[in-house]
Amino acid sequence: MYLEKLEVQGFKSFANKNSLVFPGIIDQDRRGLTAVVGPNGSGKSNIADSVRWALGEQSMKTLRGKKSEDVIFSGSDKKGKLGMAEVSLFFNNEDRQAPLDFSHFVLTRRLYRDGESEYLINNAKVRLLDVQMLLAKANVGQKTYSVIGQGTVEGFLNTSLSERKEFFDEATGVKQFQIKRDDSLNKLRSSLEHLGQAEMLLAEIEPRLGHLTRQVTKLKKRGEVEVELRELQLAYYRTVWHELNDRFKEANEKLLVLEKNKQVKEKKLISLQNELESLERNSSSDREFNTLQRTLAEKQVEKEKIAAELAKIDARLEVGLERAGKFDTAFLKRRQGELDREKIRLDEELVRLNETVVSAKKDVDALEIDREKLTKEITALHEALGSDEAISRDDELVKMEKRLNKSLEMLGVAEQLEDPVMIKRALTELRKELSELSELAAHLTQSSSKKTQSSLVALTQRKEAILERLVDSRHTLTVNEERLRLEETKRKDIERELSSIANTVKSDTGANPADRQAVEQNLAAIDKELTSIRQRLSVYTNEQTEARQKFFALQSSLQTLQNEINSIANELNENKVEAARQETKLEDLENGIRQDLGGLKEVRDERAKESLDRSSVQDKIMQLKRQMELIGGIDPEIESEYISTKERHDFLMNQVDDLLATGQSLEQVIEELDAKIKERFDKEFKIISQKFEEYFKILFNGGIAKIIKVMADDENDEKDDTKEEVPEPVIMSASATKLKRIKYLQKYNATGLAGIEIQATPPGKKIKSITMLSGGERALTAIALICAIISANPSPFVVLDEVDAALDEANSERLAKILDDLSHKTQFIVITHNRASMLRAAVLYGVTMQEDGVSKLLSIKLDEAKFR
């Protein structure tokens, strides 16, 4: 593996793109040496810096800058600054020294002025760590001897013992293992830190998990109680719900039967009502009666006109009498007119009262017949019941009827006496007796069979209604008879007074005028016609007796049917109340079921499989509910919190196990790497030590040179390291102990070295320390060590930046010879002013600084130039 080409663009003074092509193998496995020359300030050292930068150098001090953008061309008076610097190294990898499956690859580093940077291998972005590992495996010492400047040579001998140790990690070829080791240590440290954090989290979670575990146990116990409670409630509710539901259905079915019976009777009632209305509409006597009534009214009007005419005649006669000075006679004439009019009114009132009395008598007779009929039917029902209680109650009914009759007699006496107070008291007593009769009927319904009770109640109510009507009819008859008697007495008195007045007026006037006599005759004729009409109306009343009896019979049937309907309605209402009561109980129960079980489906869909002792079941349910109260209300989310906490705990436990396993694995890897590093380091260190002494003698023509390993004191170092112990609360003690060990391993590499001591004694001198060497001697000593390293562990290429600047011509020649001898092991790129190095170069590049401040390359292949 070797470097084929270097491309630089925008890096420091190389603003334009420049390429340096390096020779490969020339002959006998020798790699051609490339020399870069140029005056001071031309920018030739920027070539070494570009290679160092492309290999991943991070120290701006090493790159002779202060900040990262200092490597980008900053511009000049004639050329503006650039925004990017890019360096690419083209490698020949045919021998696969680099662990890539490519015969050629390009390593590129690019930096933009905004600070963004990137590394690329064959134009694919990679990490810096990938670049470092690749170079380490390819044995390219990017921080030590692959790019060696004059300052590096001077500074190497002035570094501390521990700083030289890093140089030898690359020098001995263990850098790649050291990188792996450091990476493993970092991973182990990270694992242990994570382990400490996981242990800390576990310490926080475990008390909470214990509490949640207890809560979940209680929740589980509560769940078991809930299951048992639900099963008992389900069995209990199934029994009670189906019982109530059956009662509710039974009540509803009974309601349907009663409703149907009521509808049948109501239809029959409507039929009777229609028949009654038809009887009233179709009666021809009614039409005749109406005709007679209209005729009577017309005759009455005609009579009133004749009476008015008679009044006018009387008025004229009265005026004549008054003019004649007969004032008494005039007064009597006026009185006669008044009495005539009053007589006419009384005649009409007597006709009406007679009709009313006749009608009332017939009503009373019909009601008496109905009452006797109902009394017989009630007695028959009582006999049908045949119980002592019924007989006893029937006796009570008889007594009540006697009291009722007595009250009726009292009412009749009161009416005859025309005493309003006594009449009111009699009516009050009568209503009281009727109310007691109704209560007695209600008691009878409670002690008899259902069907007989209904009939008995209906008949009793009918009888009660007939008694009320009988009382009213008797009262009406009595009142009208008395009024008829009074009106007849008044009429007789008026007739006597009229006769007396007529005699007086006749003797006073001598005779009635002719016109008045004619009017009186007309009036008498009208009276005769009125009398005839009233007689015919009286005949109508007699003719209507049979029709009225039928009418009353229909009314009685209608009342009986209405009472039966009322009885059914009462029973219907009672059943509705019972159904509503059952429905309310059912609704209350269903609300309780919904509250306890969440729904009715399980209860309604299935009946209880076996009979239950409700009392014991209810006691058990109450006991389980008290047990639930003792357990207390537990947030149902506690289980999900327990699950999540348990999962978190288990996850952390798994993490701890994984971290422990990872730690053990990493510790094993570190042990293996330590063994490999120590073996490789010791082997290569021995060779380098021998070669160092050999090249030292070549460069100094004798003398003694050694490199000595300075071992670390483990115990003391570890004791000193305890000062950096991590506080106990942050990381667990076991983790802290391992972390202290990691710190020690990171501080001291696998070789156990504290540093490297260099001893160099030129011929003829006694020097105890290399600090006593002159500048040239130190340079030769450093070059001897570098050559020893290259010889023992050659890098694919080495860039030497004016390392021979402090050498005289003789020593420069010796160095050039050594480089020529080593060219079969590595490729040299020498930036120099020395002629000896130039003479051995296969390719010579010249660097010049142009007027615009930009470095420019000039090249020549010296082998070809020699042939020319």
Side-chain angles (χ1 to χ4, degrees):
M1 176 180 169
Y2 60 90
L3 184 63
E4 289 184 332
K5 184 171 66 171
L6 168 67
E7 283 188 356
V8 183
Q9 182 178 3
F11 185 84
K12 289 193 174 181
S13 60
F14 289 93
N16 301 320
K17 186 174 182 179
N18 289 270
S19 298
L20 286 80
V21 180
F22 305 110
I25 298 174
I26 299 175
D27 60 347
Q28 297 180 356
D29 200 27
R30 288 177 64 253
R31 294 169 174 79
L33 185 145
T34 302
V36 179
V37 299
N40 291 334
S42 62
K44 59 183 180 296
S45 291
N46 288 340
I47 294 175
D49 289 343
S50 69
V51 174
R52 185 180 287 111
W53 185 71
L55 293 176
E57 180 61 59
Q58 300 297 308
S59 172
M60 291 309 299
K61 182 178 180 181
T62 303
L63 296 171
R64 300 178 298 162
K66 292 183 179 180
K67 52 185 182 294
S68 59
E69 66 179 29
D70 289 345
V71 302
I72 304 174
F73 180 72
S74 58
S76 63
D77 294 340
K78 295 183 179 181
K79 190 174 181 62
K81 66 180 180 180
L82 299 181
M84 180 193 73
E86 180 178 300
V87 177
S88 296
L89 301 177
F90 293 76
F91 290 96
N92 183 305
N93 191 37
E94 292 178 353
D95 59 357
R96 297 297 192 275
Q97 183 174 341
L100 294 174
D101 193 20
F102 299 103
S103 59
H104 297 79
F105 69 91
V106 181
L107 174 61
T108 303
R109 183 176 182 181
R110 190 179 294 149
L111 175 68
Y112 296 92
R113 194 167 289 279
D114 62 1
E116 183 181 354
S117 65
E118 55 188 10
Y119 293 88
L120 301 99
I121 296 178
N122 286 348
N123 290 323
K125 288 185 179 181
V126 294
R127 300 173 301 168
L128 174 60
L129 180 63
D130 299 327
V131 173
Q132 291 173 341
M133 182 58 68
L134 174 66
L135 296 176
K137 290 181 178 180
N139 205 30
V140 178
Q142 69 270 32
K143 286 190 176 182
T144 53
Y145 59 92
S146 288
V147 182
I148 301 172
Q150 185 177 4
T152 305
V153 173
E154 290 292 332
F156 176 70
L157 297 180
N158 296 328
T159 58
S160 65
L161 299 180
S162 59
E163 289 173 339
R164 293 178 194 149
K165 178 181 65 176
E166 183 179 354
F167 183 88
F168 273 86
D169 285 341
E170 289 187 359
T172 56
V174 299
K175 186 63 178 178
Q176 58 174 313
F177 305 117
Q178 194 68 44
I179 292 173
K180 290 181 179 179
R181 182 179 184 271
D182 290 342
D183 184 53
S184 297
L185 283 170
N186 289 332
K187 289 181 179 178
L188 180 58
R189 182 186 182 91
S190 177
S191 296
L192 290 174
E193 289 174 349
H194 290 159
L195 177 62
Q197 293 173 0
E199 289 172 344
M200 243 184 350
L201 291 173
L202 280 173
E204 293 177 359
I205 288 175
E206 283 175 350
R208 178 60 178 166
L209 181 61
H211 172 71
L212 291 174
T213 302
R214 291 190 295 273
Q215 291 293 99
V216 169
T217 302
K218 289 175 68 178
L219 187 62
K220 184 179 180 182
K221 177 63 178 176
R222 183 184 178 91
E224 294 173 354
V225 174
E226 283 179 343
V227 170
E228 185 179 358
L229 177 61
R230 182 179 177 83
E231 290 176 353
L232 280 176
Q233 286 176 330
L234 193 59
Y236 173 77
Y237 283 136
R238 278 174 175 166
T239 300
V240 177
W241 187 87
H242 282 286
E243 286 182 2
L244 286 176
N245 192 51
D246 290 345
R247 291 178 195 167
F248 181 56
K249 284 183 178 179
E250 182 180 350
N252 281 333
E253 289 172 358
K254 194 169 183 180
L255 282 175
L256 291 175
V257 173
L258 289 171
E259 286 282 1
K260 187 176 181 181
N261 192 12
K262 183 184 175 187
Q263 290 175 3
V264 171
K265 289 186 180 295
E266 285 176 343
K267 288 181 180 179
K268 188 175 180 180
L269 179 66
I270 292 171
S271 177
L272 288 176
Q273 289 174 340
N274 292 335
E275 186 178 353
L276 190 60
E277 291 174 0
S278 176
L279 182 63
E280 291 175 347
R281 281 195 307 269
N282 299 329
S283 174
S284 59
S285 298
D286 284 349
R287 288 193 293 272
E288 183 180 353
F289 175 77
N290 293 333
T291 301
L292 289 173
Q293 288 282 8
R294 284 194 299 272
T295 304
L296 181 64
E298 291 172 357
K299 293 298 181 182
Q300 288 282 8
V301 171
E302 187 177 351
K303 181 180 177 181
E304 288 176 0
K305 290 179 179 179
I306 295 172
E309 186 177 354
L310 184 62
K312 288 179 182 179
I313 293 171
D314 289 338
R316 287 195 297 271
L317 182 60
E318 183 181 348
V319 171
L321 289 172
E322 287 178 353
R323 286 176 180 174
K326 298 179 180 180
F327 293 100
D328 291 336
T329 304
F331 170 76
L332 290 174
K333 288 298 290 182
R334 284 198 299 273
R335 178 62 179 166
Q336 185 182 28
E338 291 174 359
L339 290 174
D340 286 337
R341 289 192 293 275
E342 181 66 17
K343 180 183 175 184
I344 292 170
R345 187 191 68 76
L346 285 173
D347 289 342
E348 294 174 354
E349 182 68 16
L350 286 171
V351 171
R352 187 184 65 79
L353 287 174
N354 276 319
E355 292 174 355
T356 303
V357 168
V358 171
S359 177
K361 285 181 178 179
K362 290 180 179 180
D363 287 343
V364 169
D365 293 340
L367 289 171
E368 286 286 356
I369 293 169
D370 289 342
R371 187 184 72 165
E372 291 176 3
K373 180 181 177 182
L374 287 173
T375 301
K376 291 178 181 179
E377 291 179 2
I378 290 171
T379 303
L381 284 176
H382 279 297
E383 291 175 355
L385 290 173
S387 62
D388 294 336
E389 182 182 1
I391 293 171
S392 174
R393 295 294 172 86
D394 191 43
D395 292 340
E396 292 180 12
L397 185 59
V398 172
K399 292 177 183 179
M400 185 65 67
E401 286 181 315
K402 290 180 179 179
R403 290 169 57 190
L404 188 61
N405 291 330
K406 185 177 178 182
S407 297
L408 289 171
E409 292 174 1
M410 289 176 60
L411 180 62
V413 173
E415 289 173 344
Q416 289 176 2
L417 296 175
E418 297 184 356
D419 186 349
V421 177
M422 189 174 180
I423 291 172
K424 186 175 182 181
R425 187 182 301 119
L427 286 172
T428 302
E429 188 67 25
L430 183 62
R431 290 191 184 95
K432 181 179 178 182
E433 299 300 333
L434 289 172
S435 176
E436 291 180 4
L437 182 63
S438 178
E439 291 179 3
L440 178 60
H443 287 304
L444 285 172
T445 59
Q446 295 178 357
S447 61
S448 305
S449 65
K450 208 66 178 175
K451 186 175 180 180
T452 307
Q453 281 180 349
S454 298
S455 300
L456 186 60
V457 168
L459 290 174
T460 304
Q461 289 175 344
R462 282 180 59 195
K463 186 173 181 180
E464 179 183 344
I466 288 173
L467 287 173
E468 289 180 355
R469 287 174 57 194
L470 185 59
V471 170
D472 292 339
S473 297
R474 284 178 175 173
H475 175 68
T476 301
L477 177 61
T478 303
V479 171
N480 286 315
E481 284 178 341
E482 182 61 25
R483 288 179 64 186
L484 180 62
R485 183 180 61 77
L486 292 173
E487 293 296 332
E488 287 178 345
T489 301
K490 285 182 180 180
R491 189 178 185 283
K492 290 178 182 179
D493 293 340
I494 287 171
E495 286 179 347
R496 285 194 297 271
E497 188 176 355
L498 281 173
S499 178
S500 175
I501 290 172
N503 293 329
T504 303
V505 170
K506 184 177 181 181
S507 63
D508 195 9
T509 59
N512 286 328
D515 52 353
R516 189 180 192 281
Q517 186 176 3
V519 172
E520 286 180 347
Q521 289 176 354
N522 291 336
L523 185 62
I526 291 295
D527 283 335
K528 187 176 180 180
E529 289 180 9
L530 288 172
T531 302
S532 176
I533 291 171
R534 289 191 181 98
Q535 288 175 353
R536 290 175 65 187
L537 286 173
S538 178
V539 172
Y540 161 77
T541 302
N542 294 328
E543 290 175 351
Q544 288 295 310
T545 300
E546 185 178 351
R548 289 173 65 83
Q549 287 178 351
K550 184 178 181 181
F551 180 81
F552 286 134
L554 283 173
Q555 279 191 325
S556 177
S557 299
L558 197 65
Q559 183 63 38
T560 301
L561 192 58
Q562 183 64 56
N563 290 336
E564 290 177 359
I565 292 173
N566 292 338
S567 177
I568 294 173
N570 290 334
E571 189 176 356
L572 193 63
N573 289 333
E574 291 177 2
N575 278 274
K576 284 182 179 178
V577 171
E578 178 63 21
R581 186 183 299 112
Q582 298 300 329
E583 185 178 14
T584 301
K585 289 182 179 180
L586 195 61
E587 287 178 354
D588 293 340
L589 181 69
E590 288 178 349
N591 290 332
I593 294 171
R594 290 189 185 95
Q595 184 177 355
D596 291 340
L597 301 180
L600 302 173
K601 189 175 187 306
E602 293 180 276
V603 174
R604 289 190 297 198
D605 291 351
E606 185 178 349
R607 287 181 175 269
K609 296 180 180 178
E610 55 186 15
S611 59
L612 295 176
D613 183 354
R614 291 192 188 180
S615 178
S616 62
V617 170
Q618 285 180 318
D619 291 342
K620 182 63 176 176
I621 288 173
M622 294 302 297
Q623 180 183 351
L624 291 174
K625 285 185 175 181
R626 285 194 296 271
Q627 193 172 351
M628 293 274 288
E629 291 176 359
L630 290 175
I631 294 174
I634 301 175
D635 187 356
E637 295 296 325
I638 204 78
E639 186 171 5
S640 60
E641 184 181 356
Y642 166 77
I643 293 172
S644 61
T645 305
K646 184 69 167 61
E647 289 176 351
R648 178 67 173 161
H649 179 270
D650 294 343
F651 172 75
L652 289 172
M653 288 298 295
N654 291 332
Q655 288 289 96
V656 168
D657 294 340
D658 292 343
L659 289 169
L660 289 173
T662 301
Q664 292 175 355
S665 176
L666 289 171
E667 287 176 0
Q668 184 177 355
V669 169
I670 292 169
E671 289 178 2
E672 293 174 355
L673 288 172
D674 283 348
K676 187 178 291 187
I677 289 170
K678 189 173 189 321
E679 180 183 0
R680 177 75 176 268
F681 185 89
D682 290 344
K683 178 181 177 182
E684 295 297 326
F685 185 83
K686 184 177 181 181
I687 296 172
I688 291 172
S689 181
Q690 291 173 354
K691 289 293 183 181
F692 174 56
E693 187 173 1
E694 178 183 340
Y695 285 116
F696 185 85
K697 288 180 179 180
I698 292 173
L699 290 172
F700 282 92
N701 285 325
I704 301 172
K706 294 182 180 179
I707 51 176
I708 301 170
K709 293 187 288 186
V710 179
M711 306 305 293
D713 185 348
D714 292 356
E715 294 182 1
N716 292 336
D717 286 327
E718 289 193 62
K719 286 179 181 178
D720 293 340
D721 203 43
T722 58
K723 296 178 182 179
E724 301 179 7
E725 183 176 354
V726 179
E728 187 69 22
V730 178
I731 300 177
M732 301 296 288
S733 58
S735 302
T737 302
K738 290 185 178 181
L739 283 172
K740 289 190 291 182
R741 177 63 181 168
I742 290 172
K743 288 182 180 180
Y744 171 77
L745 292 174
Q746 286 178 326
K747 185 175 181 181
Y748 303 106
N749 61 23
T751 59
L753 294 177
I756 300 294
E757 178 66 48
I758 299 176
Q759 294 180 354
T761 305
K765 293 185 177 182
K766 291 183 179 179
I767 297 174
K768 294 182 179 180
S769 174
I770 58 174
T771 58
M772 299 175 66
L773 294 174
S774 65
E777 289 173 337
R778 284 199 299 273
L780 287 173
T781 301
I783 291 171
L785 182 57
I786 291 169
C787 291
I789 292 171
I790 293 172
S791 177
N793 187 27
S795 175
F797 70 93
V798 175
V799 178
L800 300 175
D801 183 13
E802 298 189 42
V803 296
D804 54 0
L807 302 182
D808 56 20
E809 188 173 351
N811 285 325
S812 296
E813 184 64 33
R814 293 190 189 99
L815 175 59
K817 185 178 182 304
I818 292 173
L819 294 178
D820 190 47
D821 291 340
L822 292 174
S823 63
H824 68 282
K825 292 184 177 182
T826 190
Q827 177 186 27
F828 288 102
I829 301 167
V830 182
I831 300 171
T832 183
H833 293 282
N834 197 295
R835 288 180 296 175
S837 299
M838 295 179 193
L839 289 173
R840 285 179 170 78
V843 176
L844 182 65
Y845 282 96
V847 181
T848 180
M849 178 67 70
Q850 301 180 104
E851 292 182 0
D852 57 1
V854 176
S855 297
K856 182 179 179 181
L857 285 176
L858 302 172
S859 65
I860 184 173
K861 291 184 179 180
L862 296 179
D863 291 342
E864 295 178 2
K866 288 178 183 178
F867 284 113
R868 292 173 187 164

